[in-house]
Amino acid sequence: MSNLRLGILSFAHMHAYSYAASILALPNCELVAIYDDDEARGQASAEQYQTTYADDLESFLANNLDGVIICSENAYHRKHVEAAAGKVNYILCEKPLATTLEDGRAMLEQCRTTNTHLQLAFPVRFAPPVERLRSAVQAGNLGTLYCATCTNHGKMPGGWFCDTSLAGGGAVMDHTVHVVDALRWITEAEVTEVYADIRSSLMHPKVNIDDAGLLSFTMTGGLLTRPLMVSLDASWSRPEAYPTWGNVTLELVGSNGTLWVDAFKQYATVHSNTLSTPEQHYWGSNIDRRLIADFCEAIRTQRTPSITGEDGLKALEVALAAYESAQLGRPQHLPKQ
């Protein structure tokens, strides 16, 4: 079996490092090249992963690549997807899809017209606890679903994540899309109404961007027999000394019972006099590696990606509706026209 030839376009997003390590760990996969408009970062990444740095985008895309993984700043996703579409058959784009619905729709259209498969990086789907929750819901074990309480807490990442022109938003943009995608995948339902209270500089006074958000939204259709009421705490509320970056939790309440899931609770917490703070040593499944393996399997079998560009657009729509709701002080109805 010949190696899949993969390239990573930008190491702006920290997940690029995990994806690069995943490519090197998977059989019959090769990290052929890296492109980054930050030359120093690109050169350092190429050296770290023992591959080639391309100093311009066209030469990067001329490497006869089977797939490209895009990890640039959110605002640049559109131009990079459009540049790669038609030159490679498969693209994996870091979340969120884009920073505006206009850009997201244009990306999907470009991929359609060039027969390019676009996949979104939502690794939470590959967390075993979330997979088990989905199986339980789809088997009807919880009965009629009434409500869900969810969190996606994290540390404030800094850098371009705090620049609205590059990130499109702060914690709400960063964290809403993961949970929305997981719930859509679990229930096969859609978000139809969003209300949000979003605060800036609440926990990080020196950062002028939203660092806390509480969303309430309604989902209908799919496996649901009645509207599902959902609350989501999407925030950068974890202090710098916290032993890990954050969490994703989901609690679903149904007529037959309740299930609570911590997507990443597969670790041992280490307390030691030699450590300034506790550390979490992860022993569970590597969800980033499972995401990359799924992407590679789609390329090998020439199938439709398991997480599509449309999935990315739906999740983005909810995040943007949350910002609009917070600004206007009233619920927003979806889908947006």
Side-chain angles (χ1 to χ4, degrees), residues 247-266:
N247 68 17
V248 172
T249 68
L250 309 167
E251 183 177 18
L252 270 65
V253 179
S255 57
N256 292 347
T258 300
L259 271 178
W260 180 85
V261 163
D262 184 334
F264 307 130
K265 201 172 181 64
Q266 293 181 306

Side-chain angles (χ1 to χ4, degrees), residues 6 44 70 127 196 215 218 271 308:
L6 302 173
I70 295 174
L215 283 66
T218 305
H271 301 267
T308 65

Side-chain angles (χ1 to χ4, degrees), residues 8 11-20 71 94-95 121 123 178 288:
I8 297 182
F11 272 66
H13 198 293
M14 68 283 289
H15 285 172
Y17 297 90
S18 177
Y19 299 156
C71 294
E94 184 54 63
K95 62 79 191 170
H178 276 306
D288 284 351

Side-chain angles (χ1 to χ4, degrees), residues 51 75-77 87 101 111 124-125 195 208 264 288 305 312:
T51 188
Y76 299 152
H77 287 178
K87 296 183 176 67
L101 291 180
C111 288
V124 172
R125 290 198 191 191
Y195 179 77
N208 188 27
F264 307 130
D288 284 351

Side-chain angles (χ1 to χ4, degrees), residues 114-127:
T114 57
N115 294 315
T116 303
H117 294 280
L118 177 61
Q119 179 165 342
L120 261 290
F122 286 132
V124 172
R125 290 198 191 191
F126 297 96

Side-chain angles (χ1 to χ4, degrees), residues 71-86:
C71 294
S72 53
E73 297 88 343
N74 301 341
Y76 299 152
H77 287 178
R78 175 178 177 176
K79 74 174 183 178
H80 288 149
V81 165
E82 290 182 338

Side-chain angles (χ1 to χ4, degrees), residues 18-31 49 286 289 292-293:
S18 177
Y19 299 156
S22 296
I23 292 170
L24 297 184
L26 290 170
N28 304 117
C29 292
E30 181 181 358
L31 181 55
Y49 297 105
N286 187 324
R289 188 173 300 173
I292 299 303

Side-chain angles (χ1 to χ4, degrees), residues 4-235:
L4 287 181
R5 297 174 57 83
L6 302 173
I8 297 182
L9 199 168
S10 182
F11 272 66
H13 198 293
M14 68 283 289
H15 285 172
Y17 297 90
S18 177
Y19 299 156
S22 296
I23 292 170
L24 297 184
L26 290 170
N28 304 117
C29 292
E30 181 181 358
L31 181 55
V32 173
I34 288 169
Y35 167 74
D36 200 314
D37 55 11
D38 182 324
E39 184 175 353
R41 185 174 61 201
Q43 292 275 18
S45 300
E47 182 176 349
Q48 179 177 351
Y49 297 105
Q50 299 180 332
T51 188
T52 301
Y53 171 69
D55 59 6
D56 70 86
L57 186 54
E58 288 305 312
S59 63
F60 168 77
L61 293 171
N63 274 291
N64 192 29
L65 300 171
D66 297 301
V68 165
I69 301 171
I70 295 174
C71 294
S72 53
E73 297 88 343
N74 301 341
Y76 299 152
H77 287 178
R78 175 178 177 176
K79 74 174 183 178
H80 288 149
V81 165
E82 290 182 338
K87 296 183 176 67
V88 296
N89 291 328
Y90 282 81
I91 298 171
L92 175 63
C93 183
E94 184 54 63
K95 62 79 191 170
L97 175 66
T99 58
T100 68
L101 291 180
E102 178 185 6
D103 281 357
R105 289 166 179 157
M107 293 160 67
L108 267 59
E109 180 60 26
Q110 180 74 2
C111 288
R112 277 192 291 266
T113 58
T114 57
N115 294 315
T116 303
H117 294 280
L118 177 61
Q119 179 165 342
L120 261 290
F122 286 132
V124 172
R125 290 198 191 191
F126 297 96
V130 176
E131 291 176 321
R132 292 183 64 184
L133 176 60
R134 181 176 188 259
S135 295
V137 169
Q138 300 219 334
N141 294 347
L142 290 181
T144 300
L145 293 179
Y146 297 137
C147 60
T149 302
C150 310
T151 68
N152 191 350
H153 303 134
K155 296 181 182 180
M156 193 273 292
W160 65 265
F161 284 90
C162 300
D163 182 342
T164 303
S165 67
L166 295 176
V172 171
M173 178 66 81
D174 194 25
H175 285 176
T176 296
V177 291
H178 276 306
V179 172
V180 168
D181 180 73
L183 289 173
R184 290 184 65 250
W185 183 59
I186 290 165
T187 65
E188 301 178 11
E190 299 294 352
V191 177
T192 53
E193 184 178 272
V194 183
Y195 179 77
D197 185 1
I198 299 174
R199 303 298 173 92
S200 296
S201 310
L202 184 65
M203 286 164 284
H204 304 281
K206 295 181 180 180
V207 178
N208 188 27
I209 200 168
D210 59 284
D211 56 3
L214 183 61
L215 283 66
S216 298
F217 54 90
T218 305
M219 302 184 74
T220 60
L223 303 177
L224 303 176
T225 57
R226 52 166 290 159
L228 179 70
M229 310 304 296
V230 183
S231 69
L232 167 62
D233 178 352
S235 65

